[in-house]
Amino acid sequence: MVPGYPESMPRSRARQVRGRGLQRAAWFGLAFLVASHLSQVRQARAGIYKYVDQEGVVHFSNVPTSPRYVLYLKEDGDIEFHYSDKDRFDYLIEEASRQYGVDFALIKAIIRAESDFDPQAVSRTGAMGLMQLMPTTAENLSVIDAFDPRENIDAGVRYFRRLLRTFGNDLELSLAAYNAGKNAVLQFNSVPPYEETRRFVKKVLHFYRIYNR
């Protein structure tokens, strides 16, 4: 007699039933392990990240191994990777610095003061992204996506270079114009007497000294 089965059941039939039961249990166990593994993968996944290398090749990854990667697509429940240092966008800053002839440390100081390296930052006045481009400024600079780090930095540095040329490379006036607008600086022929603007100029210069060490 096979335990758990009727006495009238033939032994061969009982072995078949027991074998199927064991097989079914094995499948259930395997399914549970797979489901558990997928759940763990789901919990560890961090959306899709991308970066464009110097050859123009776009790279995608769900496990970014370099600060060059920027979040491209985030799904509900995904855990976003964060880099604790402030060097995440250095490679983009270097690109813009070389292309437009603006000091790397100065660009980084502006970004630190404007957005603290948050590419999704939006101010109460509607300024967007790392270098806090106003919508009209972004439009004038033909920016398609103001929240794209490369595009935002490129446009912001282009704009700041124009201001440097307008104000004869006077750093304080150019920074004031970046914050308050060119016309405000031209009107006062100095840093405008706006608390926010003066605080901004002071903050950028402070960070500039730090990054210039």
Side-chain angles (χ1 to χ4, degrees), residues 36-47 75-79:
S36 176
H37 175 70
L38 289 176
S39 175
Q40 292 174 1
V41 171
R42 171 65 179 169
Q43 291 173 5
R45 193 171 57 186
E75 298 181 9
D76 292 341
D78 286 341
I79 305 169

Side-chain angles (χ1 to χ4, degrees), residues 161-202:
R161 184 183 63 171
R162 293 180 189 176
L163 295 175
L164 285 170
R165 290 177 175 175
T166 298
F167 296 102
N169 289 319
D170 187 304
L171 185 53
E172 289 194 8
L173 294 183
S174 300
L175 288 171
Y178 193 88
N179 177 265
K182 180 177 67 175
N183 292 334
V185 176
L186 291 173
Q187 177 185 348
F188 291 97
N189 197 30
S190 64
V191 176
Y194 308 147
E195 182 180 349
E196 178 184 341
T197 299
R198 293 186 171 181
R199 186 168 56 246
F200 171 77
V201 172
K202 184 177 181 180

Side-chain angles (χ1 to χ4, degrees), residues 51-59:
Y51 85 88
V52 183
D53 64 24
Q54 294 181 348
E55 303 297 325
V57 178
V58 181
H59 300 260

